[in-house]
Amino acid sequence: MKTLLVYYSRTNVTKKIAEMIQKEINCDIEEITDNDKYAGKIGFMKGGMNASMGRTSKINPISKNPADYDLIIIGTPVWASNIATPVYTYLKKYEKDIKNVASFCTCMNSGFEKTLENISKVTGKEQISTMFLTSEDILNPDEKINTFIQEIQ
């Protein structure tokens, strides 16, 4: 199964998890970027507000076409119990190109249920697998990552 892992990471936590998964399953990987400023406390508040209001952003062009893949793995931080705005934008833009989806999210300690559920709603797909990692899980993510990988392979 040809797999693409697509993620956005404001603080590099989601990026770290995405790279760990990519290394284990040897899939293609693509980082979603945009030009909005989400750094620092003001960026944190702006991101949460945009996510809670269901706003999209102008993401930068991608290099990999999701239609070329059998499975898209989505990685997102949780923003105000929602999908991060750049990931939401990606999903809205490419939802028709996604054949199968799995996802993971990183969060402080809550909001992951709604975030993972919303990925299914936006894509219109039942997910093959989902995973969430809280700030405590991030310290030792191997067990959760291994379970997630077993479920998608």
Side-chain angles (χ1 to χ4, degrees):
M1 181 177 338
K2 191 171 179 186
T3 303
L4 173 63
L5 193 157
V6 180
Y7 71 93
Y8 173 83
S9 191
R10 186 180 79 85
T11 62
N12 290 326
V13 172
T14 306
K15 179 178 184 169
K16 173 188 163 189
I17 301 302
E19 289 174 345
M20 290 174 75
I21 295 168
Q22 189 271 336
K23 182 179 175 186
E24 288 297 317
I25 65 174
N26 193 28
C27 66
D28 290 342
I29 191 167
E30 177 141 46
E31 181 176 13
I32 300 167
T33 60
D34 69 8
N35 295 324
D36 279 339
K37 307 272 190 283
Y38 294 117
K41 290 179 184 177
I42 292 174
F44 175 81
M45 291 171 52
K46 176 184 173 184
M49 184 180 72
N50 287 347
S52 66
M53 296 179 82
R55 291 183 178 157
T56 58
S57 63
K58 185 174 180 185
I59 59 174
N60 294 317
I62 60 167
S63 63
K64 294 169 178 56
N65 182 353
D68 295 339
Y69 294 86
D70 302 309
L71 172 65
I72 306 296
I73 301 170
I74 301 295
T76 183
V78 173
W79 287 5
S81 297
N82 287 290
I83 305 165
T85 302
V87 175
Y88 179 71
T89 302
Y90 178 93
L91 291 173
K92 293 294 283 180
K93 187 171 184 175
Y94 297 106
E95 66 185 292
K96 298 209 182 339
D97 296 327
I98 297 173
K99 297 173 185 119
N100 294 291
V101 67
S103 67
F104 69 92
C105 62
T106 58
C107 60
M108 291 301 290
N109 57 23
S110 65
F112 55 85
E113 300 98 339
K114 183 179 172 189
T115 300
L116 295 170
E117 182 181 297
N118 284 342
I119 290 171
S120 292
K121 285 181 182 176
V122 174
T123 62
K125 305 272 188 292
E126 185 175 331
Q127 297 190 66
I128 292 172
S129 183
T130 62
M131 173 178 66
F132 68 89
L133 296 120
T134 64
S135 55
E136 188 175 309
D137 296 326
I138 296 295
L139 301 174
N140 187 12
D142 293 338
E143 186 176 331
K144 280 194 160 191
I145 289 173
N146 288 338
T147 300
F148 180 70
I149 289 170
Q150 287 174 4
E151 291 174 357
I152 63 174
Q153 290 185 323

